[in-house]
Amino acid sequence: MLRKSLIAVAGIALLGPVHAAEPEKAAAALGLLKSIDEGFVHVFEKVAPAVVVIEAIKTADDEERDASVLDFFFRNGDERGAPGEKSDAKSEPRTWKLPAPQSRSEGSGFITRADGFILTNNHVIADAEKLSVRLKDGRTFPAKVIGSDDKTDIAVIRIDARDLPAVEWGDSDALRIGQLVCAIGTPFNQDFSFTVGWVSGKGRTNLLGPGSPTILYEDYIQTDAFINPGNSGGPLFDVDGRIIGMNTLINGIGRGLAFAIPSAMLQEVAQQLIARGKVQRPWLGIRMQTLGDDNSLRDHVTGIDRGVVVYTVEADSPAYRSDLRAADVIVAVDGTKVATAHDLQKEILRRKIGQAIQLTVWRRGAIVKIPVTTGELPEEITRVANVQPPSAPSADAEALGLKLKDADGGAQVVEIVPETPAARAEILAGDVITAVETQAVATAGACAKSIESSLREKRAKSVLLNIDRKGKRTFAVLKVSQ
């Protein structure tokens, strides 16, 4: 209904302005406005019964405190002992232990199955000691967590109820920029608030920044529908009332910048959480970045302009057990080209755990094929420390800020001189330099000589160092001049 009304209004707009002297056209326009009005009401009434308000209560342990209750609280020396008792003796103020205060927050969610399964954001229910769910009809139920996934900020909870109204899923992959979308949530404790906006963008990533300690899987829908604190976990849906996303992030209040997890990801993660309480994912074990996002490699990568730079190979990972190296540029997975880190992440997630794949990699001007077998993403990334304690250096390259000594597999950095190229390259004491410009070095002397020859003979302004850092493979670009 709403979709047809909007199309009709667009047609009227093309006919030109409506004047009072044209009563038939004015009546037609008014009728269309009323149809749009009814359309919005209809879509709200269709979706709202499946939307819930989630109340999370947690104990604020860090705020637990002692309270010194002073004598003036107890007039006439009454220390609130047995009823009616008074003391003539002068006593010290008594210290009372107050119960730890509790914090209460509200978020949103929506029912995905008639037997009580509800989808929301992980950050809505994280660390909650008690969860309750309030339905549109006023009923309230205690809820329990079925499973949560901090890497996508998705959680599934359940209430003990049957025959509940459940949402209808839409296809987020088919969603187009410019489509009208609606949201229902609990902003600032205003239950079941309804807002409307447009799809402003798709495939948004890196919203939390590269410094986030959590490996994130981002593929957000951007909308300008008004989303505020309390909307988290609520549905984003099209004019047919089909869920195409879950509202998750905002960039400030009232800026028209809100982001929703797409329905395709929601359904995939929810199915795993309901089935086994956790999400299993394939992984390679690398930290990566889109080639064009880092200018430090510009002088070292020639002949290609698109691909994904391997910044770090995690210790004891599938990539670590392969020939993949830091500073490699991945350009394809099983023949499918990848231009961005997001492209590569999506390709890997399409594979199964334990599946053999072939990476096409650019390495120092040559294209190489590297086989890797995917593993299962662990809950905690293994950190292997294999660096020996520093001792007196046997070789140095102090002009660049490096003090080196021989080590197993290369040259160990003993000390970094402040305010030097090595310090600016964020090389760390304890790092083991394993190669210079991808050429392996076995000793501190060989490393220093290789760095010197690379800079002198090639007249380069920077040199690429492959590094083993506590069991992880990474790299640094040592720039001679800024």
Side-chain angles (χ1 to χ4, degrees):
M1 179 190 299
L2 182 55
R3 187 185 300 276
K4 292 181 179 178
S5 299
L6 290 170
I7 292 173
V9 166
I12 288 291
L14 293 175
L15 296 177
V18 177
H19 301 285
E22 301 171 314
E24 292 183 1
K25 187 180 293 185
L30 182 59
L32 287 171
L33 289 175
K34 288 182 177 180
S35 294
I36 294 173
D37 195 44
E38 285 298 317
F40 282 122
V41 172
H42 171 76
V43 74
F44 171 79
E45 292 178 344
K46 176 182 178 180
V47 178
V51 179
V52 303
V53 177
I54 300 173
E55 182 180 277
I57 297 176
K58 63 175 290 187
T59 299
D61 294 330
D62 56 338
E63 295 180 5
E64 185 175 350
R65 63 193 187 277
D66 293 337
S68 295
V69 185
L70 303 179
D71 281 347
F72 66 81
F73 280 105
F74 311 117
R75 299 184 185 280
N76 299 321
D78 182 4
E79 292 190 86
R80 300 286 173 93
E85 281 190 356
K86 293 185 179 180
S87 173
D88 294 327
K90 185 177 180 180
S91 60
E92 294 296 323
R94 180 175 298 175
T95 298
W96 298 80
K97 192 79 165 182
L98 295 182
Q102 290 184 321
S103 63
R104 170 185 171 277
S105 63
E106 282 192 350
S108 308
F110 50 93
I111 301 166
T112 60
R113 281 177 30 176
D115 54 351
F117 285 93
I118 295 167
L119 210 55
T120 187
N121 281 132
N122 179 58
H123 74 259
V124 170
I125 56 91
D127 301 322
E129 296 181 357
K130 181 181 179 182
L131 290 172
S132 63
V133 168
R134 186 167 70 256
L135 307 184
K136 184 69 167 59
D137 61 15
R139 289 182 293 166
T140 300
F141 297 87
K144 65 177 181 179
V145 177
I146 300 300
S148 61
D149 180 46
D150 63 345
K151 293 173 177 59
T152 54
D153 199 13
I154 297 171
V156 175
I157 63 176
R158 191 178 188 183
I159 60 176
D160 187 10
R162 297 293 183 271
D163 301 321
L164 297 173
V167 298
E168 177 185 353
W169 287 107
D171 184 359
S172 57
D173 290 338
L175 193 66
R176 296 174 297 168
I177 296 174
Q179 276 190 236
L180 190 69
V181 288
C182 312
I184 299 177
T186 311
F188 301 109
N189 300 317
Q190 304 303 306
D191 301 349
F192 302 98
S193 294
F194 176 76
T195 58
V196 179
W198 312 95
V199 175
S200 307
K202 293 180 64 179
R204 301 303 195 203
T205 61
N206 300 323
L207 298 185
L208 299 184
S212 173
T214 302
I215 298 175
L216 298 176
Y217 294 88
E218 300 174 290
D219 190 18
Y220 295 106
I221 298 167
Q222 180 186 337
T223 179
D224 68 348
F226 276 98
I227 306 295
N228 288 298
N231 275 104
S232 289
L236 187 72
F237 48 99
D238 62 21
V239 294
D240 293 311
R242 297 173 300 193
I243 307 303
I244 48 86
M246 180 167 70
N247 301 311
T248 299
L249 294 172
I250 57 174
N251 187 320
I253 297 175
R255 293 182 179 178
L257 277 172
F259 302 90
I261 300 170
S263 59
M265 182 182 292
L266 291 173
Q267 292 178 85
E268 179 184 350
V269 171
Q271 287 172 3
Q272 292 199 53
L273 292 177
I274 292 172
R276 59 178 70 97
K278 67 175 185 177
V279 179
Q280 294 177 309
R281 293 185 176 90
W283 84 315
L284 295 180
I286 63 174
R287 302 278 176 166
M288 57 192 176
Q289 189 171 1
T290 302
L291 176 60
D293 291 346
D294 186 357
N295 292 328
S296 67
L297 285 174
R298 182 174 297 171
D299 295 335
H300 300 273
V301 179
T302 58
I304 59 169
D305 54 9
R306 306 184 77 184
V308 182
V309 179
V310 177
Y311 264 76
T312 301
V313 178
E314 300 288 357
D316 195 30
S317 67
Y320 192 85
R321 292 186 286 272
S322 76
D323 187 42
L324 196 64
R325 304 175 188 174
D328 282 349
V329 181
I330 301 172
V331 296
V333 178
D334 289 334
T336 300
K337 293 182 179 180
V338 290
T340 67
H342 183 58
D343 291 343
L344 177 57
Q345 185 182 78
K346 289 177 69 174
E347 285 300 318
I348 299 303
L349 288 175
R350 290 191 177 107
R351 271 61 180 179
K352 296 179 180 179
I353 296 170
Q355 180 177 345
I357 63 175
Q358 186 179 73
L359 302 178
T360 303
V361 170
W362 180 96
R363 178 182 294 167
R364 301 303 297 164
I367 296 295
V368 296
K369 306 287 186 179
I370 298 177
V372 184
T373 299
T374 65
E376 180 180 349
L377 176 67
E379 293 184 6
E380 297 291 337
I381 307 301
T382 303
R383 309 294 182 188
V384 179
N386 62 359
V387 179
Q388 300 173 355
S391 59
S394 61
D396 65 80
E398 291 192 34
L400 298 174
L402 288 171
K403 292 187 177 182
L404 306 172
K405 73 166 190 174
D406 292 346
D408 291 340
Q412 187 179 53
V413 178
V414 176
E415 182 182 346
I416 297 295
V417 180
E419 304 299 326
T420 61
R424 288 189 287 270
E426 299 182 350
I427 299 172
L428 305 178
D431 284 351
V432 176
I433 300 173
T434 59
V436 177
E437 295 292 343
T438 72
Q439 298 300 313
V441 292
T443 65
C447 179
K449 184 176 180 180
S450 184
I451 291 173
E452 181 182 356
S453 63
S454 293
L455 294 174
R456 185 182 67 251
E457 295 173 9
K458 298 178 182 179
R459 298 182 179 180
K461 296 181 179 180
S462 63
V463 60
L464 179 68
L465 307 178
N466 287 86
I467 291 172
D468 186 297
R469 178 173 292 161
K470 295 184 178 181
K472 297 186 298 182
R473 297 174 188 153
T474 185
F475 72 90
V477 178
L478 194 62
K479 294 184 177 181
V480 178
S481 59
Q482 295 296 311

